[in-house]
Amino acid sequence: MGKTEYFDIRDEKGEITGKVKERSLVHRDGDLHGTVHIWVVQKTPKGYDILLQKRSSSKDSFPDCYDISSAGHVEAGADYLESALRELQEELGIYAAAEDLEYFGMHKGYIEAEFHGSPFKNHEISAMYLYRKPIAIETLTLQSDEVSSVMFLDYYICREQMKNGTLKHCIYPDEFTMLGEKLGLL
């Protein structure tokens, strides 16, 4: 059994309110909490390929769905940037420095679903970052309890597959649009 995680409850701007709650209670109650979303991108002649991770089948939410390159919660007392660097290293084995991450905005998302017979309310405010350094998939070290596989997919193909339902994913479409705008693709 892993350690119990605690999150700072955040306000609408993503600032800490002073209240801290345990992870399962945050997702039971739908409290606004901080997360980080790191998009690993590679420039191509046609635009950009996006690294997608496939979530492990044992994940507590959205098992076996394609997701952001690397994402995770901001633990109580931590900040967004340090959390982003930690998640990249833990999930993908990418040891990045702060200057390797390009912040490009905040995204607020909310979803209610049921997983493993329990209700799940995810109300998050996410700091979004780009990681543009070249990587080779075969050199990544995947955190097996979090990530089952990764793949690069052209931005436009990914967007189309998200729209037509051929890519099983848990990516917020409006955040994917924000990514496309940041990359100059839309």
Side-chain angles (χ1 to χ4, degrees):
M1 186 92 178
K3 70 176 177 103
T4 302
E5 293 179 278
Y6 291 91
F7 304 149
D8 290 307
I9 304 305
R10 307 255 171 181
D11 66 18
E12 294 297 313
K13 293 181 182 177
E15 301 297 324
I16 294 169
T17 64
K19 186 175 180 183
V20 174
K21 279 177 91 170
E22 191 268 325
R23 174 189 177 121
S24 65
L25 300 178
V26 166
H27 287 141
R28 179 196 71 192
D29 300 340
D31 296 306
L32 186 59
H33 60 285
T35 62
V36 290
H37 294 175
I38 307 97
W39 293 94
V40 177
V41 300
Q42 305 283 276
K43 184 83 173 114
T44 69
K46 295 187 289 181
Y48 283 92
D49 283 349
I50 311 300
L51 184 75
L52 299 177
Q53 69 161 264
K54 187 173 185 185
R55 295 168 63 88
S56 163
S57 60
S58 62
K59 287 293 289 175
D60 66 346
S61 62
F62 303 102
D64 297 317
C65 286
Y66 282 99
D67 201 356
I68 296 158
S69 311
S70 181
H73 293 95
V74 178
E75 295 180 2
D79 68 27
Y80 290 106
L81 181 58
E82 74 179 286
S83 299
L85 294 169
R86 183 194 77 241
E87 290 296 336
L88 262 180
Q89 189 243 317
E90 287 177 359
E91 291 184 353
L92 302 176
I94 296 173
Y95 290 82
E99 58 270 15
D100 296 333
L101 295 183
E102 182 182 336
Y103 171 81
F104 71 99
M106 298 296 283
H107 177 267
K108 197 163 80 168
Y110 183 80
I111 190 162
E112 283 188 44
E114 185 175 304
F115 298 102
H116 311 290
S118 297
F120 181 85
K121 297 177 186 175
N122 190 39
H123 192 196
E124 64 184 27
I125 186 157
S126 309
M128 299 178 299
Y129 297 91
L130 280 178
Y131 181 83
R132 298 178 188 250
K133 286 193 161 190
I135 62 155
I137 285 177
E138 59 275 5
T139 65
L140 297 177
T141 304
L142 305 182
Q143 185 180 16
S144 60
D145 60 331
E146 298 270 337
V147 182
S148 64
S149 65
V150 292
M151 71 172 175
F152 274 111
L153 192 58
D154 174 80
Y155 177 87
Y156 296 113
I157 292 170
C158 185
R159 187 173 82 165
E160 181 58 31
Q161 289 182 0
M162 287 169 59
K163 283 182 183 178
N164 69 24
T166 58
L167 181 70
K168 182 180 176 187
H169 73 92
C170 56
I171 299 166
Y172 289 105
D174 60 329
E175 180 175 345
F176 201 70
T177 297
M178 292 169 74
L179 172 65
E181 290 168 350
K182 172 64 180 172
L183 295 172
L185 300 173
L186 301 177

